[in-house]
Each structure stands twice: as C-alpha cells, then as structure tokens.
Amino acid sequence: MGRRVVVTGLGTYNPLGNDVETTWEKIRRGESGIAPITHFDTVDFKTQFAGEVKEFDPVALFGRKEARRLERISQLALAAANQALEDATVNGALERDRVGVALGSGVGALSAMVENAETLREKGPNRVSPFFMPMMLPDTPAATISIAHGFRGPNMAVATACASGNNALGEAARIIQRGEADMMVAGGAEACIIPLAVAAFSVMGALSTRNEEPERASRPFDSDRDGFVTSEGAAILILEELEHAQARGAMIYGEFLGYGSSADAYHISMPANDGGGATLAMQRALEDAGLGPDGIDYINAHGTSTPMNDRSETMAIKRVFGERAYDIPVSSTKSMHGHLLGAAGALEALICIKAMQEGLLPPTINYETPDEECDLDYVPNEARAATVRVAMSNGFGLGGHNASIVLGDWRLRIGD
C-alpha cells in the first residue's frame, strides 16, 4: 500500500461558524448560514444574499499592519490553517523542510484586482497599492501560510474551479505518498462576495433568486431548486504520513484513502449530460482506495442546487454504484453553508471526517418536493445516526473539472 496518509488537524471559517465545533453543531441541527449580503449594497442585484463569514476580525487575529497587507482570501486561509495546526498540536520540533502547503481557490483575490483597477482609472498609476501584485496572485494564500510557519516543503496553488478543494487535498496526499513531504497543510479558501462576482454569476443564471427567504434558497435535489448560493470561507486539513503522525503522538481523525480526477471535455459551463466525467472521477477514487461499490457508507455530493448539476451527479452516482446507489445516503451540505467555490471540497471533506467521528449523516435541508430524476436517499432535512466508516466527497467545477476523494477510518487498513 505504500505510505499511508492520515488527517491529524482541522480548521475552518465559513458561513456556519468560525471553528470546527460550531460548524458541526449547526450541521447537526440542520441550520442555514445563508443571509442577506452585508459586504456591499445589493439594491440593483437580482440575488441579494450569500453565505458570508460572520464576525471575522483579521486585525484581532493578525494585527493591523499584517491584516492590511493580506487580501481577505489570504486572511481566511491563514486563520483556518492556524486553527488546523493548533488542532494537530504541531510544535517547534517539526522538520519544516518536510512540511508543505497545497491550497485550492476557484477565483482567487478578485477583489484586489477590481479595487486596484478602479484606483488606476480614477487616481492614476502611482496610486495603485504596492501590495497589489502579491495580494492578487493565486498562490499568495499558500505562500502566506508557508511564510507564517516556516514551512519549506512543496508549496502550490490549485485552481480547478469548484473542484479546487478536492484537487488540492488529492495532490497534497500524492506528495506525501511520493515521499516528498511528511505533512501537508491542504484545503481551500475563497472570498469573492463582491459586486462583480455576484453580478457575473447572476447574469449566467446560476444563482438562486429566493431573496425573500435566503435560508431556504439552497435546496439541492429538490424539484424547486433555482440555482446555487455563493459563499466564502476557508477549510484546512492537516494531512500527514501515518508513521510520522504516530511518532509524534498526534490524534488521527481518519485516513485519506483515494483520489480520482477527470475532465468532462464537454462544455465550459455545463456538466456533461450523462455525468460521464463525474462517473470517471468517482471510479478512479474507488480504484485508488482499493474499494468496490459496496465500500462506501456515505457520499457528500457536490449538490449545488442547480437543475443540471444535481441531475447529472445523481446519474453519475447510479452509473458508479448501480442498484446499490439507492442504499447509500447522499447529502449536500451546501444546503446549509452554500457553495464555497474553490473551498467547497475542503469544507465538505472536513464535514465527512466529523460525520465518521460522530456517527451522524449530515442532512440536505430545504428538501421539500422530490424530483423524479433525483431519486436517491438525500438524507432529507434532518441528520441521521449511522455508522460511517468510509465516505466519498465529490467536487465538480466550471470547465468540466471533476475530483472525488475517499476518506475512511484509518484503523480499518482498507485496501492494504
């Protein structure tokens, strides 16, 4: 089986809460983190709500000078990484040459680009921020974590749209499996609840417009779904080689068992009608984990609440698992936290870890009217007690990017 990769730390800032336990408690209760947008005036917008990170104070976390130098995406990434590293009890004895960072983002620091473009146009070239260039680079969140902690191992940004979080986790696991690092800080971050991004998604027809009841807007697999809810946040998992984790006495949450990636090669903004790319990613993740269709206890679906994605993903799950698809609980926690874009897969992997730890299936809330083309067990509206030994999490993105991961109980030694 080679070098085994386990999860030893968790950290997150997202619309449900600014730590893992608050997030999980709201997931357990089936609460929504979606609310009217406060970041800007939405009076002219068709969609006026989103999943914002609430009560986030970067000055209190990093100091005024450092906070001013960091774009919001990097602030969120570093804050979540600090949580995860503390949770993993990483200390000064760590060999920092053997610790790396892999961070996913679908959009990056879009707000820095917009703000400095406006400054250039209105005030001239000499008023552009001297911090703009490092602020806007997609690798800056990963670099920020590396610099803050002195990690000199492999360091990279992963950009595969809404599959970025899963791809970042998968690539980080591969780095450890190849022996290039013993520990990777891995996950995703996103911060693009700004007028340009919301307007762009809106004119595509991708966003829900349920302004009168935003907490009920994200309704994956429901017949009345009308689009996704954009969100911001960060989620970080500490991935570590098993023997390295055991040698330092780390608590182990679970094991990274499998990773599969693919492309639809179909359309820049629509999933393949037959779910072919998603099917391939899931099959590859199962094969990598050494599992058959009977090996999965729970699927955290990509489940965006858009008509085409939910239908396509349901079809793909049926193609991969056959008749057993009807016996596997499948839920979309985006119904509660919205769509964190490039950070979605990382947050949903974290939720899978908690589901295994707590023996509880997260619900798909706002599920009221069944869709005959989406006919699986979506754990409707209420969490459900269950033994979850192995979970799959899916992430699919614009451009036809697909990434599936498999997480499990490390004590099972599955696939060995």
Side-chain angles (χ1 to χ4, degrees):
M1 189 175 181
R3 286 166 61 91
R4 296 172 62 189
V5 179
V6 294
V7 180
T8 58
L10 305 171
T12 186
Y13 283 75
N14 68 78
L16 292 173
N18 293 344
D19 57 63
V20 174
E21 292 310 315
T22 302
T23 299
W24 178 251
E25 181 59 24
K26 291 186 178 180
I27 290 283
R28 188 183 66 79
R29 295 201 302 256
E31 293 186 15
S32 172
I34 309 305
I37 290 171
T38 64
H39 288 352
F40 62 90
D41 186 351
T42 62
V43 66
D44 295 325
F45 286 74
K46 292 181 181 178
T47 295
Q48 301 177 340
F49 57 92
E52 296 177 340
V53 174
K54 306 162 187 72
E55 300 178 357
F56 179 66
D57 187 350
V59 173
L61 289 170
F62 310 121
R64 188 170 304 278
K65 181 179 179 181
E66 184 66 15
R68 189 167 68 91
R69 293 171 181 261
L70 296 176
E71 174 63 357
R72 186 171 175 88
I73 186 174
S74 294
Q75 295 170 350
L76 289 166
L78 181 57
N82 289 348
Q83 272 188 12
L85 289 163
E86 181 179 1
D87 186 44
T89 62
V90 172
N91 55 45
L94 205 65
E95 187 180 350
R96 279 164 162 69
D97 290 359
R98 301 280 301 168
V99 182
V101 184
L103 206 71
S105 172
V107 178
L110 184 59
S111 59
M113 295 182 232
V114 172
E115 290 165 7
N116 281 274
E118 291 174 352
T119 298
L120 175 65
R121 184 178 60 252
E122 296 172 4
K123 300 180 180 180
N126 292 329
R127 297 297 297 276
V128 171
S129 170
F131 305 122
F132 167 57
M133 189 54 67
M135 272 184 169
M136 60 82 68
L137 293 172
D139 64 321
T140 294
T144 298
I145 295 168
S146 169
I147 292 166
H149 294 281
F151 296 149
R152 294 183 292 270
N155 189 284
M156 66 186 66
V158 177
T160 50
C162 303
S164 299
N166 275 358
N167 277 131
L169 291 167
E171 296 304 320
R174 290 284 187 264
I175 288 169
I176 294 173
Q177 289 167 345
R178 291 196 301 263
E180 297 175 21
D182 297 320
M183 178 185 291
M184 291 292 291
V185 180
E190 206 75 88
C192 64
I193 302 177
I194 63 171
L196 180 61
V198 174
F201 282 131
S202 181
V203 298
M204 287 177 65
L207 296 181
S208 171
T209 57
R210 200 181 288 259
N211 292 311
E212 68 282 0
E213 44 185 2
E215 70 283 353
R216 299 180 65 207
S218 184
R219 45 185 54 239
F221 307 107
D222 185 90
S223 180
D224 296 327
R225 63 192 184 276
D226 69 330
F228 76 86
V229 177
T230 187
S231 295
E232 65 178 357
I236 299 292
L237 282 66
I238 305 302
L239 301 185
E240 193 168 353
E241 193 274 326
L242 174 60
E243 292 183 4
H244 185 271
Q246 291 174 319
R248 67 182 191 87
M251 188 182 89
I252 297 173
Y253 285 105
E255 184 168 2
F256 191 102
L257 295 172
Y259 168 47
S261 185
S262 73
D264 285 352
Y266 172 70
H267 193 276
I268 198 66
S269 62
M270 294 188 295
N273 291 329
D274 63 357
T279 298
L280 190 57
M282 285 188 276
Q283 288 173 335
R284 287 173 172 171
L286 284 173
E287 182 179 356
D288 189 43
L291 295 171
D294 292 337
I296 300 296
D297 299 315
Y298 164 65
I299 298 173
N300 188 298
H302 186 57
T304 58
S305 186
T306 59
M308 293 183 67
N309 175 85
D310 293 0
R311 185 168 58 246
S312 174
E313 185 171 12
T314 296
M315 188 178 301
I317 290 170
K318 291 177 183 178
R319 290 179 66 178
V320 173
F321 293 95
E323 283 301 311
R324 188 165 183 273
Y326 292 95
D327 299 323
I328 303 174
V330 178
S331 69
S332 174
T333 53
K334 288 183 180 71
S335 59
M336 293 171 276
H337 53 66
H339 192 349
L340 275 72
L341 308 177
L347 177 58
E348 290 155 18
L350 184 155
I351 291 168
C352 285
I353 291 288
K354 292 298 293 182
M356 291 189 290
Q357 184 183 31
E358 302 292 336
L360 198 72
L361 299 171
T364 303
I365 69 167
N366 301 322
Y367 186 83
E368 297 173 343
T369 308
D371 181 338
E372 63 180 16
E373 293 186 275
C374 299
D375 57 350
L376 302 178
D377 174 10
Y378 301 114
V379 195
N381 301 313
E382 294 184 359
R384 183 191 308 164
T387 299
V388 182
R389 299 174 302 168
V390 183
M392 171 178 282
S393 183
N394 292 331
F396 312 133
L398 292 178
H401 303 283
N402 307 295
S404 297
I405 62 173
V406 178
L407 301 162
D409 185 338
W410 70 279
R411 293 162 297 189
L412 296 176
R413 296 190 62 83
I414 295 165
D416 196 1

